[in-house]
Amino acid sequence: MAYASTLSLRELRQDLHAHPESGWKEFRTTALIAAALDDREFTLHLGSDAVAEDERLGVPDDDAVAAAIERAREEGAPEAYLERMGGITGLVAEKTFGDGPTVGVRVDMDALERTESSDEAHRPAKLGFASTHPNEMHACGHDGHTAIGLGIARDIDDDGGFDGTLRLFFQPAEEGGRGGKPMSETDLLADIDYFLALHLGLGNPTGTVIAAYENPLSNAKLDATFEGAPSHAGNAPNEGRNALHAATAAVQNLYGIPRHADGATRINVGKFESPNPQNIIAEEARLRVEVRGRTAELNDYMLEKARRVLDHAAGMHDVSVETGLYGKTSTFTADDEMVEAVLASAADLDDVTETVPRLDIGGSEDASYLIRRVQDHGGKATYVGIGASNEFGHHTSRFDIDEDALDVGVDVVCQTIRTL
């Protein structure tokens, strides 16, 4: 029996929490879940069968991927599934229980690149399941999402009550908006009748269910590298071409992009690097820029303007600039039929204390691409919020979840699937 098959949902969540894997490095997580679902005779789609390889965004370099595979192997990932992945994370698992509708469920698997708190008051540290990986941490609840995904498979497989096909999407690289689009480009979304994505927490206590988080801001993340020429800042400053100066000009003007009358737009420079001593004209500078828009069109407006600013800042200072899209998301609105199904299902559960029909999610979410793909083919979709009490906010070093929410998440989704 596969290792993950022997664990309760809480045990699985804590195991994944102790072994976090950031985007496109989720080899152990993918392999463990694949093995557990293989035990239950689910059909598995791994690697390039689960995501469109050429559509991936923000992929780590080959050395980083190789190191992640080796670490997964050392930490007990079953070799057979590592081989089937072919260096690409992501899993879609399906099983047919009858002639009814095809229902898809998407959960994300990746961790954040940040260091977890070692404070003894932090529950994972106190109980011994804090991250064992430097600069990687499950600070957003994706470990819980993955556990819920397996829990849904177990519940439907064991207890029945669903006459259709269940298709589970274990998505890599949600952070940064890198994995949703490539997963949406496969044919596995084309025939889905009903689709649910989900998220734990987001400021809501355990027992609260939001039938539809919707209208996220469209988002794009852009990496820019300025390349100039070095020279001695004292002896020959005129011989250099200052990449740092170009980058600072870009930052100032990026924040000056006019807002748009048609709706909300955002821009932020989240990272600025120029590794250079003080007496050398800087030959390289790097930026990571993020834009957002209430609609995909507004997001594209901001992205176009940002690229123009970067190009002209480089030209002003006689340096070159290369840009690359690190991640991108879109937006969506949930379908009424799905909202009503989730509300009706949640109302029948003892552990649900409050239901909310719809809320704007506020941030960005790359499940948007999967949801829109389903809707474009005539399917119905929603993005469900599962309250999970958490004293500290998402993406903080002391993030944790109330693990009672895992069972709530499984019950809400499975009840909805059976209703559909």
Side-chain angles (χ1 to χ4, degrees), residues 328-345:
K328 195 173 185 183
T329 72
S330 187
T331 190
F332 64 87
T333 300
D335 292 291
D336 290 339
E337 181 179 345
M338 295 298 293
V339 173
E340 292 166 5
V342 174
L343 289 174
S345 299

Side-chain angles (χ1 to χ4, degrees), residues 87-155:
I88 301 171
T89 56
L91 165 67
V92 182
E94 61 182 319
K95 189 171 184 177
T96 297
F97 300 91
D99 297 328
T102 298
V103 178
V105 180
R106 177 270 201 180
V107 294
D108 41 14
M109 303 185 294
D110 58 319
L112 282 151
E113 294 181 350
R114 69 159 306 141
T115 299
E116 184 161 10
S117 172
S118 58
D119 191 322
E120 289 187 1
H122 179 49
R123 192 177 73 100
K126 181 179 180 180
L127 297 183
F129 67 91
S131 172
T132 57
H133 298 165
N135 197 39
E136 284 180 300
M137 175 195 173
H138 274 296
C140 197
H142 298 186
D143 48 350
H145 301 171
T146 304
I148 288 173
L150 181 57
I152 292 166
R154 290 174 176 176
D155 191 290

